[in-house]
Amino acid sequence: MDLTSLRSHNDRTVLGLVRSGALSRASIAEEAGLTPQAVSKIVARLVEAGLVEETGAVREGGRGKPRMSLRLAAGGAHAYGAYVDRDELRVVRLDLTGEVVSSDVVPLAPMFTPDDVLAALAPLVSAEEKVLGLGIGIAGPLDFAGGVVSPNGLPGWDSVPLRALAEERLGLPVVVDKDTNAAVLAEAWRRPLEDAALVFVGTGLGAGFLLGGEVHRGARSGAGEFGHTTIQLDGPLCVCGRRGCVEAVHAASSGVEAARVLGAAVRNLVQLLDLDQIVLSGRKVLESPELYLRAMPDVDVSLSSYGPDLVPVGAGLLVLGELF
Ligand SMILES: [Zn+2]
């Protein structure tokens, strides 16, 4: 789907306002600081492209001349999102509103290769006209700009050009980001987050940061390797090759003690970055949420509003989000 003509700043602003519930052309003009004529032209383009639809006349505030109300056309564009976990591949297809329209999960055998992942992805992803692309979430470290990954805990994956390989194999645009960045994006799609960390405890342990409302990737897209901060000198060996990382100490503990380990590490994080919101997510947390919630520092702590589709949804939003 070629939407390059619809990616101007004003087009994205208008589309974002339609998404956030701005009902009519007049209210969009007011919110965006654009002239009604400019908004009419942009809306006409968005309707033409099938991204926005008219839903009928409404009287805003119950008075005055009825105005044609607008909403996103859910089926106007789609994006795929994938999560390459250490033992399985999850793939979702999102509509333009970010809702999951289909979801698949396939196991990945131990020591799986990049080619195994591409072979598993191929039947789950189709390069149709309305599909904008595929986002892939995977463990770090990785190079976000180049789409090259060297994930901890996946033996043999060293400097794999995953984005280029996937684009060639699947025939659609691909974006690759850390699983934790995808996850925090997914949460921010549903609710306002400003200075927040999404702490993800699954087969690995990491964090995605929103600072000042923007995803923080750092100078070499290495931000968020929270699981590999040392909390116990000479502690257990970690998948990253060092000892005593949060991830390794947490994995070597269980129950209340594991939750306490995470609580101490999150407390350090909150102090370091002056965060006011922590979102807990991932399989391990979902197994015993109360235990983890009780161990957290005294800031706004909540559980992720997504189930196991958190990372793949966020990965799909990396693609879909370019429209807004
Ligand atoms: Zn480590």
Side-chain angles (χ1 to χ4, degrees):
M1 185 176 193
D2 182 18
L3 292 168
T4 42
S5 62
L6 291 170
R7 284 181 179 170
S8 83
H9 174 72
N10 285 345
D11 291 349
R12 282 186 276 124
T13 302
V14 169
L15 204 56
L17 285 169
V18 173
R19 175 181 174 248
S20 68
L23 288 176
S24 70
R25 289 167 176 81
S27 52
I28 289 168
E30 203 171 299
E31 293 257 347
L34 295 166
T35 64
Q37 293 82 350
V39 169
S40 285
K41 273 189 195 163
I42 292 169
V43 168
R45 272 208 300 279
L46 295 173
V47 170
E48 171 77 27
L51 301 181
V52 166
E53 59 194 13
E54 293 185 323
T55 60
V58 289
R59 281 177 211 278
E60 286 180 336
R63 291 179 296 129
K65 191 169 144 233
R67 289 163 166 174
M68 203 54 86
S69 72
L70 303 166
R71 70 172 176 208
L72 293 182
H78 288 87
Y80 288 101
Y83 176 27
V84 181
D85 201 351
R86 288 173 187 166
D87 55 3
E88 64 182 26
L89 172 72
R90 278 183 182 270
V91 178
V92 297
R93 182 180 168 118
L94 303 180
D95 69 19
L96 181 58
T97 68
E99 287 301 306
V100 174
V101 290
S102 68
S103 173
D104 290 285
V105 53
V106 290
L108 292 169
M111 305 291 286
F112 64 85
T113 64
D115 201 56
D116 293 336
V117 170
L118 297 173
L121 268 173
L124 303 178
V125 170
S126 59
E128 300 153 31
E129 198 212 339
K130 290 193 172 185
V131 170
L132 299 174
L134 163 72
I136 302 177
I138 189 166
L142 57 77
D143 166 19
F144 176 68
V148 177
V149 307
S150 307
N152 282 320
L154 296 185
W157 284 61
D158 188 25
S159 299
V160 176
L162 185 60
R163 186 177 71 202
L165 291 173
E167 284 186 339
E168 192 186 312
R169 178 78 167 252
L170 306 169
L172 77 181
V174 175
V175 182
V176 177
D177 203 351
K178 282 215 272 200
D179 45 11
T180 44
N181 289 342
V184 80
L185 258 179
E187 286 298 335
W189 182 260
R190 283 193 177 168
R191 53 174 158 160
L193 294 176
E194 270 298 304
D195 291 292
L198 177 132
V199 175
F200 188 82
V201 191
T203 51
L205 197 158
F209 301 125
L210 275 183
L211 301 179
E214 298 287 332
V215 173
H216 178 75
R217 294 188 174 86
R220 291 171 295 274
S221 36
E225 292 297 316
F226 164 64
H228 303 288
T229 39
T230 309
I231 54 165
Q232 188 186 338
L233 293 177
D234 308 318
L237 189 64
C238 182
V239 290
C240 73
R242 298 201 303 265
R243 287 188 173 277
C245 296
V246 177
E247 179 173 317
V249 177
H250 177 268
S253 319
S254 59
V256 178
E257 195 52 35
R260 284 186 60 209
V261 169
L262 190 69
V266 170
R267 193 165 294 113
N268 290 340
L269 191 62
V270 166
Q271 288 188 150
L272 197 63
L273 294 170
D274 189 18
L275 304 172
D276 59 5
Q277 285 166 302
I278 296 290
V279 182
L280 295 177
S281 65
R283 271 189 249 175
K284 279 283 170 199
V285 167
L286 294 177
E287 281 167 15
S288 38
E290 289 308 317
L291 224 56
Y292 281 93
L293 285 170
R294 272 203 300 275
M296 290 300 122
D298 188 21
V299 289
D300 175 2
V301 180
S302 56
L303 291 173
S304 165
S305 58
Y306 293 83
D309 283 339
L310 171 68
V311 173
V313 166
L317 290 174
L318 281 165
V319 175
L320 211 55
E322 288 174 16
L323 287 178
F324 296 93

